[in-house]
Amino acid sequence: MFTSAGFAKTWQYIQLFKEGLICTLSLSALTVLFGFIFALILALMRMSKIKPLSWFATCYVELFRATPMLVQLFIVYYVVFAKASLPNFKLFGFIRFERFFPGVVALSMNSGAYLSEIIRAGIQSIDHGQTEASRSLGLSSRQTLFDIVLPQAIKNILPAIANEFVTIIKESSICYTIGVQEIMYAVASIKGATYRIAEPLLIATAVYFCLTFPTSKIIAYFERRMSRGFKR
Amino acid sequence: MASNAELIKVTGLCKHFYNGELKALDGVDYSINKGDVVVVIGPSGSGKSTFLRCLNLLEVPTSGEVVFKGVDITKKYYTDKNGNKVRLNIDEHRRKMGMVFQHFNLFPHMTVLENMTLAPIKVKKMAKDEAEKKAKKLLKRVGLGDRADAYPIQLSGGQKQRVAIVRALMMEPEVMLFDEPTSALDPEMVGEVLEVIRELATTGMTMVIVTHEMGFAKEVGKKIVFMADGKIVETGSPEEIFDNPQSPRLQDFLKKVL
């Protein structure tokens, strides 16, 4: 299964893993950023008193949680961006933007649906008395949301957001199917060049593990710290 | 001290829940003048808190009027002095009414000082150092001069409520609404909070206080309002209400609580 010759061959292409790592990290980071902003908008829409807005957000969330990520990715890449001519420059000198960008969009749309439910739960977990106190002082509903409710809500859901980050790192591997040069793409390339599969896969496993395991440990640490002092 | 200018006038105020199945307020009429200290008493579920919360529209009444300084704040539009139709901005009116809650509702993610200066800075556009100076002065007045940088979690219930009171005072309201300010406190902390309210009463602040503390009601209240089943049953001076109750409902209530 694993041979030292196989590792030696794979090692010649280690540069591909380095690139894959950079690509996976940027893909995940951008997805968390855009996904969070999008999720915030979705959550506010869903809690809105304007019926069409909340109706749209509800449908969106249900649809994206009930369909496979792969289907969503393919629809975004092959259908939505089929006619769009994206600029074909290379990020960091190797990441093909016209593939990378649809990947970010699809992942953000998907994680936005999940994150919006987390944010909504976070906002609803804040005691209504907080809103009442703020409004009674003359702050507007907007100021109340951004100065009083959201800071508390986000602090409460930070662990859940961080867990979503770990999930995104793992799920981003699916973008290899549309040719985004992340870690799994490196595995496929090396397999094509060396006819070895077990060794590249083992390395990919190790890389993913090294990314996600410390992340979740750090999250757990902060989770414990936060539940100690600050909670009421 | 107490001029007779009418500050708040409530007419036909109703608040129904569950499509009218529960009538928390069932036609309340009352006027509050400048400098009044009105204490609202009555059994649980009589609509005292709902009445108070309707005054600054935290509870939107089902029907009726709440006229604050000549403006009916339950309507979307009002006519100003020049006869123009103006869209009502409820926030503008709320900042003239301070409110103190049973459960304090301090903002846990802010220090005492930040709790107090948030609204003046954000709403009144007061300079930060000016707001902080004012806040520290008020804190000193209620005996909390050394707790400006503490977080609410580090305070006792009585301290929290005192902070909540001065937080409301920061906006220099024209009326203070107290919604059972001592009901969530341990007995030994009730005194310190009542002391602050008592002192406030002597400054001529207009106040509406919902409370279960009958002794305090009798002492501080200039006018007592007795509510039951969503209606005002009897009003009068403390002497009239406590020493010479007229309605059987009030006589019964006093027998139970005194």
Side-chain angles (χ1 to χ4, degrees):
Chain A
M1 202 164 53
F2 302 112
T3 63
S4 53
F7 277 114
K9 275 187 189 169
T10 305
W11 195 254
Q12 295 172 352
Y13 296 94
I14 197 68
Q15 179 63 22
L16 286 178
F17 273 114
K18 283 182 192 158
E19 291 181 358
L21 179 62
I22 293 170
C23 187
T24 291
L25 282 177
S26 19
L27 197 58
S28 310
L30 285 177
T31 299
V32 169
L33 179 67
F34 291 130
F36 180 75
I37 296 168
F38 186 48
L40 187 57
I41 296 168
L42 272 178
L44 295 180
M45 279 169 76
R46 190 150 183 191
M47 290 185 295
S48 163
K49 284 194 192 97
I50 306 164
K51 278 276 171 286
L53 284 183
S54 76
W55 184 83
F56 171 82
T58 307
C59 289
Y60 179 93
V61 169
E62 294 305 332
L63 186 68
F64 272 76
R65 295 205 304 178
T67 51
M69 176 72 232
L70 187 63
V71 176
Q72 296 163 14
L73 180 69
F74 276 14
I75 289 177
V76 168
Y77 182 68
Y78 291 110
V79 183
V80 178
F81 283 101
K83 290 282 186 321
S85 51
L86 291 167
N88 63 9
F89 66 91
K90 291 196 165 77
L91 288 166
F92 303 118
F94 67 93
I95 301 173
R96 292 189 299 254
F97 184 75
E98 78 275 13
R99 287 163 190 272
F100 180 79
F101 185 68
V104 170
V105 170
L107 282 176
S108 302
M109 288 177 80
N110 180 273
S111 77
Y114 284 93
L115 272 173
S116 82
E117 286 298 280
I118 296 173
I119 294 174
R120 191 168 67 108
I123 289 176
Q124 285 172 345
S125 74
I126 303 303
D127 178 24
H128 194 61
Q130 292 288 309
T131 304
E132 292 189 342
S134 171
R135 295 308 301 275
S136 79
L137 285 166
L139 274 78
S140 66
S141 54
R142 203 190 149 84
Q143 288 169 323
T144 300
L145 178 69
F146 285 100
D147 289 321
I148 305 300
V149 177
L150 271 186
Q152 296 182 57
I154 289 180
K155 201 162 107 185
N156 287 352
I157 60 173
L158 224 44
I161 293 175
N163 276 328
E164 181 67 14
F165 185 56
V166 170
T167 306
I168 288 168
I169 291 176
K170 292 187 287 179
E171 294 226 313
S172 68
S173 64
I174 208 170
C175 289
Y176 124 84
T177 56
I178 58 165
V180 179
Q181 300 124 294
E182 45 70 69
I183 294 169
M184 280 309 289
Y185 186 87
V187 172
S189 307
I190 296 168
K191 178 184 156 229
T194 63
Y195 300 106
R196 300 299 312 179
I197 182 66
E199 293 85 356
L201 276 177
L202 188 68
I203 293 174
T205 307
V207 173
Y208 276 120
F209 184 79
C210 290
L211 280 180
T212 54
F213 185 71
T215 312
S216 49
K217 283 293 152 204
I218 292 167
I219 295 164
Y221 170 74
F222 279 110
E223 222 174 321
R224 255 177 286 129
R225 267 194 54 164
M226 278 172 105
S227 58
R228 205 186 298 152
F230 299 100
K231 285 259 173 65
R232 287 202 287 178
Chain B
M1 177 174 70
S3 63
N4 272 335
E6 192 173 73
L7 194 61
I8 304 175
K9 187 180 167 66
V10 173
T11 16
L13 198 65
C14 291
K15 176 68 188 185
H16 297 173
F17 292 102
Y18 315 116
N19 287 323
E21 257 175 65
L22 176 71
K23 294 188 167 97
L25 286 180
D26 195 11
V28 169
D29 304 289
Y30 196 70
S31 333
I32 297 154
N33 293 337
K34 237 175 156 41
D36 273 357
V37 178
V38 179
V39 178
V40 187
I41 57 170
S44 303
S46 56
K48 312 180 295 285
S49 284
T50 311
F51 170 65
L52 193 76
R53 292 159 55 82
C54 278
L55 295 182
N56 68 350
L57 244 63
L58 276 187
E59 212 73 73
V60 180
T62 312
S63 63
E65 286 182 357
V66 178
V67 179
F68 176 59
K69 297 182 81 181
V71 176
D72 181 2
I73 57 173
T74 62
K75 303 288 184 298
K76 277 203 163 104
Y77 295 91
Y78 67 95
T79 316
D80 70 4
K81 284 174 254 144
N82 308 324
N84 299 319
K85 204 174 166 191
V86 190
R87 201 186 163 84
L88 181 102
N89 179 359
I90 186 66
D91 301 329
E92 272 174 31
H93 299 276
R94 281 202 181 120
R95 61 190 75 136
K96 296 174 198 153
M97 303 172 161
M99 186 150 189
V100 174
F101 300 85
Q102 183 178 356
H103 296 287
F104 331 126
N105 296 347
L106 295 180
F107 309 132
H109 60 303
M110 297 179 181
T111 63
V112 166
L113 203 62
E114 286 164 347
N115 261 283
M116 292 174 70
T117 55
L118 177 78
I121 291 172
K122 291 263 170 188
V123 177
K124 278 189 158 179
K125 311 287 172 213
M126 195 188 268
K128 193 174 174 226
D129 48 345
E130 191 191 338
E132 286 181 352
K133 221 167 95 188
K134 188 173 172 176
K136 282 178 180 158
K137 221 161 111 187
L138 275 169
L139 279 176
K140 206 174 271 173
R141 201 170 117 193
V142 295
L144 291 171
D146 54 339
R147 306 314 308 266
D149 297 317
Y151 280 89
I153 183 98
Q154 299 164 308
L155 303 177
S156 72
Q159 292 175 327
K160 280 182 197 167
Q161 195 60 300
R162 281 185 275 161
V163 170
I165 293 170
V166 285
R167 177 176 72 176
L169 288 177
M170 284 292 288
M171 294 299 284
E172 295 182 344
E174 297 183 34
V175 54
M176 284 286 282
L177 312 174
F178 292 88
D179 189 3
E180 302 193 17
T182 58
S183 297
L185 294 175
D186 293 337
E188 75 268 25
M189 291 169 180
V190 170
E192 61 192 65
V193 171
L194 293 185
E195 182 53 44
V196 171
I197 302 175
R198 193 176 291 132
E199 193 228 292
L200 204 55
T202 62
T203 65
M205 172 67 79
T206 313
M207 302 203 276
V208 186
I209 307 168
V210 171
T211 186
H212 290 292
E213 304 279 336
M214 291 306 140
F216 179 70
K218 199 171 174 177
E219 177 203 334
V220 168
K222 302 218 171 65
K223 293 178 179 173
I224 309 287
V225 172
F226 173 67
M227 287 184 74
D229 303 322
K231 294 188 179 78
I232 292 181
V233 178
E234 204 168 325
T235 61
S237 68
E239 294 74 32
E240 288 168 340
I241 293 288
F242 289 104
D243 303 335
N244 192 16
Q246 300 298 312
S247 62
R249 203 58 219 269
L250 176 56
Q251 290 164 355
D252 183 49
F253 173 73
L254 290 176
K255 210 183 293 166
K256 280 178 188 149
V257 296
L258 290 181

